[in-house]
Amino acid sequence: MIEARRLHILRAVADHRTVTAAAAALYLTPSAVSQQLAALEQETGHRLVERSAKGVRLTPAGEILLAHTHLVLAQLERAEAELAAYGAGSAGTVTLASFATGIGLVVAPALARLARSAPGIRVRVQDAEGDASLPMVLDRQVDVAVAVEYRGAPGADDPRLTHIPLYAEPFDAVVPVTHRLAGAVEVPLAELAKDPWIGPYPGNPCHDVVVLACEHAGFQPRLEHSSDDFRAVVALASADAGVALVPRSALRGMDLTGVVVRPVDGIAPTRRVFAAVRRGAEEHPLMRPVLDALGDAATAD
């Protein structure tokens, strides 16, 4: 009989590629992870992982078991959801990770809605960049992620997660008031090819959006200044340090003295924001009201 907790460990090892990283995500010791993998191999009668200097990879038998693992763990999430529904599930705590702008735009309004519609549900919010929150859901560190699409992110068809689209927003060009294009109605990105750029660090989903938009315009942006805080990005632009692309919602309520904000000429780069939960958990009686409140908040405007 295969133990479900060992399937969690197998999936964590597959996700993180090393025993040490999987152990850290699961709050276990590396030796405990290794012992559980060995026990799982004994249960199945197959070698499931191969170790090398670069980490751990699944064997063909491990890949077969991993495909079934996604289905089994999703079904267990559904079972927990149905049992919770049977027990009424009108009160409890949901943990949620979101990037800062998402907290302001949809998470905080969703919490206000829940206070009225489901006062028994408490939501604990953590600030996490869009590329960090999905692994937190998969590692069971949080229940819900508000995340951004990015290269390498688990897609909507990923068997581990259920995606709920929330909103899409364009990036606007931010240039100093002294910039040659400050008077333009729209800013052609190709005209900024020779400018110094300010943007998020590599790994931040917004970095990918900026770089891809510039690549589509025919150039690689010369990123001279880096910050994941868009207030810092705008402050640097106001100091004539460079130009930037910033999500429109991040500019709300910001001091824009010294800069001009203009839409991008043509097809604007866009970030797509969604909520994600472990597949099978979307109908949990604690999760469903939270997801509905996030969706309502996203469409309120």
Side-chain angles (χ1 to χ4, degrees):
M1 181 71 70
I2 297 174
E3 291 193 18
R5 63 192 177 97
R6 290 175 182 151
L7 296 180
H8 281 294
I9 290 173
L10 178 71
R11 187 157 80 176
V13 169
D15 286 343
H16 293 279
R17 304 295 183 184
T18 71
V19 169
T20 301
L26 297 171
Y27 300 102
L28 297 173
T29 64
S31 62
V33 169
S34 295
Q35 289 170 8
Q36 291 299 318
L37 286 175
L40 185 59
E41 289 180 330
Q42 187 173 7
E43 287 173 345
T44 61
H46 292 279
R47 188 179 180 187
L48 302 174
V49 298
E50 292 180 343
R51 293 172 173 81
S52 69
K54 295 183 178 180
V56 177
R57 69 179 184 88
L58 299 189
T59 64
E63 294 288 354
I64 290 172
L65 183 57
L66 181 64
H68 288 282
T69 292
H70 297 323
L71 299 175
V72 169
L73 295 183
Q75 193 60 40
L76 286 174
E77 293 281 357
R78 293 186 185 98
E80 290 181 6
E82 289 189 19
L83 287 171
Y86 177 77
S90 59
T93 299
V94 174
T95 53
L96 183 151
S98 172
F99 58 101
T101 307
I103 291 174
L105 195 62
V106 293
V107 175
L111 264 59
R113 292 169 182 269
L114 285 168
R116 299 188 298 270
S117 63
I121 297 178
R122 177 189 177 202
V123 180
R124 295 176 56 205
V125 179
Q126 300 181 34
D127 187 339
E129 288 299 334
D131 58 332
S133 58
L134 295 178
M136 292 171 72
V137 170
L138 291 172
D139 291 336
R140 306 181 73 86
Q141 296 173 11
V142 298
D143 301 309
V144 183
V146 174
V148 179
E149 290 182 2
Y150 60 93
R151 286 188 289 191
D157 59 347
D158 190 291
R160 301 168 297 173
L161 295 168
T162 294
H163 284 219
I164 299 93
L166 294 178
Y167 65 92
E169 64 172 327
F171 281 60
D172 289 325
V174 178
V175 301
V177 292
T178 56
H179 194 273
R180 63 189 181 281
L181 295 177
V185 176
E186 295 182 330
V187 173
L189 284 185
E191 296 295 320
L192 302 177
K194 295 183 179 180
D195 285 86
W197 279 74
I198 312 157
Y201 285 100
N204 185 313
C206 290
H207 174 89
D208 286 348
V209 175
V210 171
V211 171
L212 283 172
C214 293
E215 287 177 353
H216 289 157
F219 70 98
Q220 285 280 345
R222 179 162 53 91
L223 283 162
E224 292 200 357
H225 310 283
S226 297
S227 175
D228 288 333
D229 186 334
F230 286 117
R231 289 169 298 182
V233 170
V234 170
L236 287 168
S238 70
D240 206 15
V243 299
L245 288 174
V246 177
R248 188 166 292 171
S249 66
L251 296 167
R252 294 182 182 178
M254 194 181 294
D255 181 5
L256 299 177
T257 304
V259 298
V260 171
V261 177
R262 295 289 184 265
V264 172
D265 184 29
I267 299 175
T270 302
R271 73 170 171 182
R272 292 172 174 81
V273 179
F274 61 93
V277 296
R278 292 180 293 277
R279 190 172 292 272
E282 60 272 13
E283 294 304 328
H284 191 288
L286 293 179
M287 303 284 191
R288 187 73 264 165
V290 174
L291 296 175
D292 289 344
L294 288 170
D296 292 343
T299 58
D301 293 337

